[in-house]
Amino acid sequence: MPAVRIPEDLDNRLNTLARRTGRSKNSFVREALLHQLDDIEDYYLGMETLERIRNGEERVYSSAEAKRELGLDD
């Protein structure tokens, strides 16, 4: 497991929450990662794709082109 440095105020909040709930700080960090990692991945991978589009390295399809390409046009 990677070691993560967090700001003192956040560590204090985690300590308080752990003490009040009887759970470990690690359990809360794990839970936060599980809930947020999808959004973080979507953002950064989306930004990479946007950069490729801006550089002309990635093609953008209209909805009509996508339907035609996928054989979904009527």
Side-chain angles (χ1 to χ4, degrees), residues 6-26 28-29 32:
I6 58 174
E8 186 177 343
D9 62 325
L10 187 56
D11 189 46
N12 290 338
R13 289 174 63 192
L14 275 171
N15 283 326
T16 300
L17 186 59
R19 187 174 53 255
R20 291 182 70 179
T21 62
R23 293 176 58 192
S24 70
K25 290 188 335 182
N26 283 343
F28 291 113
V29 171

Side-chain angles (χ1 to χ4, degrees), residues 35-47:
H35 290 306
Q36 295 300 314
L37 192 54
D38 284 343
D39 291 339
I40 293 168
E41 285 174 330
D42 288 346
Y43 174 79
Y44 284 101
L45 296 177
M47 292 304 291

Side-chain angles (χ1 to χ4, degrees), residues 44-69:
Y44 284 101
L45 296 177
M47 292 304 291
E48 285 180 1
T49 301
L50 181 58
E51 190 64 28
R52 287 194 308 273
I53 291 168
R54 287 180 174 156
N55 291 334
E57 300 166 358
E58 185 96 15
R59 179 148 188 257
V60 177
Y61 293 85
S62 69
S63 60
E65 290 172 316
K67 286 178 183 178
R68 191 170 42 255
E69 193 74 22

